[in-house]
């Protein structure tokens, strides 16, 4: 095996190379699709190659080149079980979203180039082992998604894009301040994340400031209540594939930050303020469920369920910060698996909603009727994804949420009891929306004579559906990578 082969760097920059090719050469729509899908497919193969090379318990497959040696800034990339899970998710979901988007007729080269650039930025965030490199990629995700929302979104796309940009820019500035505090208090000063994790540098008042700056930055990105206002509008106005990437990958940047920075670089502060994080997470679970239930737009409904699911996830991280070792391992195992399962489940749901809107030109639940009769295959995919989202055993969310509940119940049973209320509300929300949208007699004024799922859509949806079932039935296929890293971290 070629141990020095720079697989991480090649996989990281391959989508960017595809984006440059698309912008440099004038290709037709067919050529654009071939380059975009081919690049995303090769990128996914690269992420699978990382698993084939094998992961250690800590950071492995590290590649490092000096960048600004005077400041100890370097191009440092590497993966552990937690980041590999998200790198793999990025490869899978971008490929499905790009395949689904091959129907795009409005400026397809620019659209696909932005998607590929965004993929490199997301991979860069999860692979970075340098604070400055992480920040650069973190900012590029903001720019890429902003232009996708504004350029290919719906009627209020500009308003949604600006709101998304302002919220997340505020978070980015807080993140920069926190990173500067970590760098200036490190001895010797360094941006190397491995050194900052091994010896958390901030103490006293600076540690309090750093912790809350990180919390606000990542709570906005995740998002948690009350920092979620940008999310429903961004989802509603973004194109379907943009919503899938926004919910499936970009929300995970915040969740990943809770683990990589707050849990590993400010552990003492996390232990001290874990009760605040838990309270916000539990409230987000119930709030997200209640508001989702009140929605009449399918996209907004799924967007609010994301706030609910992110609440479970952050609660699992907080248990890892302050609970017993066994509770912490279960909580963090579950939280990391929840990042993966939420990505594939919610990503599929948003793509399916896009397919519904393509056919009936509306997402309004009271208007949709009898979709099952006209589109049985599409309806079947939606029902399975919805059942996965509400945590049905045998589907992806169940093993993740079960571990979070199990870990939490050891030390904080009161919180788990409250969160179960959110689970009941989410279940009722999905069952009611399925009954209203897919059952009953078809409304011929709404339904058009459009065929059920086509080959393009099946190619995008089937891999996600297989992963939802595989992760529900045999979660160990991905959990084995997560668990080894989590044991070391605890």
């Amino acid at each position: 095996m070629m141990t020095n082969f720079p697989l991480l760097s090649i996989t990281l920059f391959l989508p960017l190379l595809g984006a440059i090719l698309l912008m440099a050469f004038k290709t037709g729509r067919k050529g654009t699709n071939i380059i975009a899908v081919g690049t995303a497919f090769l990128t996914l193969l690269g992420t699978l190659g990382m698993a084939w090379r094998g992961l250690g318990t800590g950071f492995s497959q590290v590649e490092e080149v000096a960048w600004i040696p005077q400041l100890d800034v370097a191009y440092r990339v590497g993966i552990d079980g937690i980041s590999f899970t998200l790198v793999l998710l990025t490869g899978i979901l971008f490929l499905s979203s790009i395949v689904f988007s091959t129907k795009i007729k409005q400026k397809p080269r620019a659209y696909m180039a932005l998607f590929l650039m965004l993929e490199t930025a997301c991979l860069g965030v999860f692979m970075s082992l340098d604070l400055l490199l992480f920040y650069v990629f973190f900012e590029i995700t903001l720019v890429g998604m902003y232009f996708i929302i504004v350029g290919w979104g719906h009627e209020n796309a500009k308003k949604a894009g600006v709101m998304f940009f302002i919220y997340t820019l505020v978070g980015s500035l807080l993140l920069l301040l926190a990173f500067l505090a970590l760098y200036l208090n490190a001895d010797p000063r360094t941006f190397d994340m491995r050194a900052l994790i091994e010896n958390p540098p901030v103490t006293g008042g600076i540690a309090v400031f750093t912790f809350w700056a990180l919390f606000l930055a990542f709570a906005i990105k995740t998002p948690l209540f009350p920092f979620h206002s940008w999310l429903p509008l961004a989802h509603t106005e973004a194109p379907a594939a943009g919503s899938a990437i926004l919910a499936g990958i970009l929300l995970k940047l915040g969740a990943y930050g809770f683990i990589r920075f707050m849990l590993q670089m400010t552990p003492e502060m996390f232990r001290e303020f874990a009760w605040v994080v838990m309270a916000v997470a539990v409230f987000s679970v119930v709030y997200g469920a209640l508001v989702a239930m009140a929605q009449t737009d399918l996209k907004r409904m799924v967007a609010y369920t994301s706030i609910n699911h992110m609440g479970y996830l952050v609660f699992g991280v907080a248990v890892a910060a302050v609970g017993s070792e066994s509770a912490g391992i279960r909580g963090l195992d579950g939280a990391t698996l929840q990042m993966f399962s939420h990505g594939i489940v919610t990503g599929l749901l948003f793509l399916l909603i896009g397919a519904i809107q393509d056919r009936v030109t509306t997402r309004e639940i009271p208007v949709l009727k009898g979709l099952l009769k006209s589109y049985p295959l599409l309806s079947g995919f939606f029902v399975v994804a919805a059942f996965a989202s509400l945590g049905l055993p045998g589907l992806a969310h169940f093993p993740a949420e079960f571990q979070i509940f199990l870990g939490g119940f050891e030390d904080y049973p009161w919180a788990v009891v409250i969160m179960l209320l959110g689970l009941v509300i989410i279940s009722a929300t999905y069952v009611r929306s399925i009954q209203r949208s897919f059952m009953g007699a078809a409304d011929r004024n709404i339904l058009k004579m459009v065929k059920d799922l086509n080959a393009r859509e099946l190619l995008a949806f089937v891999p996600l559906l297989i992963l939802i079932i595989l992760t529900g039935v045999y979660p160990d296929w991905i959990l084995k990578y997560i668990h080894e890293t989590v044991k070391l971290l605890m």
Side-chain angles (χ1 to χ4, degrees), residues 330 333-335 337-338 341 396-405:
R330 292 191 183 101
D333 272 351
L337 185 59
Q338 177 86 332
S341 64
H397 272 322
F398 179 76
E401 290 175 0
F402 183 73
Q403 289 190 88
I404 293 171
F405 290 156

Side-chain angles (χ1 to χ4, degrees), residues 263-283:
L263 188 61
Q264 293 193 274
M265 295 186 194
T266 58
E268 293 296 328
M269 289 299 102
F270 208 155
R271 272 193 284 277
E272 186 171 342
F273 296 110
W275 64 275
V276 179
V277 179
M278 278 188 191
V280 172
V282 171
F283 192 86

Side-chain angles (χ1 to χ4, degrees), residues 221-470:
K221 198 77 173 180
T222 302
L224 297 175
F225 177 90
F227 312 105
H228 66 286
S229 303
W230 61 271
L231 182 74
L233 188 60
H235 273 305
T236 305
E237 299 302 325
S243 294
I245 295 300
L246 182 57
I249 308 292
L250 295 199
L251 302 192
K252 308 306 177 296
L253 305 188
Y256 178 70
F258 272 91
I259 299 173
R260 187 64 79 213
F261 297 97
M262 293 173 63
L263 188 61
Q264 293 193 274
M265 295 186 194
T266 58
E268 293 296 328
M269 289 299 102
F270 208 155
R271 272 193 284 277
E272 186 171 342
F273 296 110
W275 64 275
V276 179
V277 179
M278 278 188 191
V280 172
V282 171
F283 192 86
S284 295
V285 165
V286 179
Y287 172 84
L290 285 172
V291 180
M293 195 173 197
Q295 301 306 308
T296 59
D297 183 308
L298 267 180
K299 249 188 169 186
R300 288 180 73 87
M301 185 194 82
V302 176
Y304 276 108
T305 65
S306 292
I307 296 172
N308 164 275
H309 287 122
M310 291 299 102
Y312 295 129
L313 195 162
V314 173
F315 176 78
V317 180
V319 169
V322 74
S324 61
E325 183 176 343
S326 60
I329 288 174
R330 292 191 183 101
L332 199 52
D333 272 351
T336 308
L337 185 59
Q338 177 86 332
M339 284 196 271
F340 183 83
S341 64
H342 182 265
I344 55 176
V345 171
T346 310
L348 179 57
L349 280 171
F350 277 120
L351 294 180
L352 287 165
I353 293 170
I356 292 172
Q357 190 169 13
D358 289 343
R359 287 165 171 77
V360 299
T361 67
T362 182
R363 304 185 306 254
E364 283 296 317
I365 296 171
V367 181
L368 295 170
K369 290 179 184 174
L371 290 178
L372 179 61
K373 188 174 181 180
S374 298
Y375 310 112
L377 200 52
L378 189 158
S379 303
F381 272 78
F382 190 93
V383 169
V384 174
F387 282 162
S389 188
L390 63 84
L392 195 73
L395 298 172
H397 272 322
F398 179 76
E401 290 175 0
F402 183 73
Q403 289 190 88
I404 293 171
F405 290 156
L406 197 60
F409 201 75
E410 278 191 45
D411 298 332
Y412 308 97
W414 57 270
V416 173
V417 170
I418 296 173
M419 289 196 298
L420 286 174
L421 176 65
L423 195 63
V424 171
I425 298 170
I426 283 292
S427 300
T429 300
Y430 271 115
V431 169
R432 192 179 69 156
S433 67
I434 290 170
Q435 191 270 327
R436 296 175 72 185
S437 303
F438 294 91
M439 307 299 179
D443 187 340
R444 293 298 172 191
N445 293 322
I446 296 296
L447 300 181
K448 296 180 178 179
M449 295 306 292
V450 181
K451 290 182 179 178
D452 207 343
L453 295 181
N454 56 40
R456 168 184 59 82
E457 291 166 327
L458 285 171
L459 202 58
F461 300 160
V462 167
L464 297 177
L465 188 74
I466 291 172
L467 283 172
I468 288 171
I469 296 170
L470 175 64

Side-chain angles (χ1 to χ4, degrees), residues 131 134 138 171 173-182 202 206-222 254 257-258 260-267 269:
L131 289 184
F134 177 96
F138 194 84
L173 294 176
L174 290 168
L175 188 63
L176 182 60
L177 291 175
F179 283 1
L180 289 175
L182 287 167
V202 287
I206 293 296
V208 175
F209 166 79
T210 306
F211 174 82
W212 287 113
L214 290 171
F215 173 79
L216 290 171
F218 295 131
I220 291 171
K221 198 77 173 180
T222 302
F258 272 91
R260 187 64 79 213
F261 297 97
M262 293 173 63
L263 188 61
Q264 293 193 274
M265 295 186 194
T266 58
M269 289 299 102

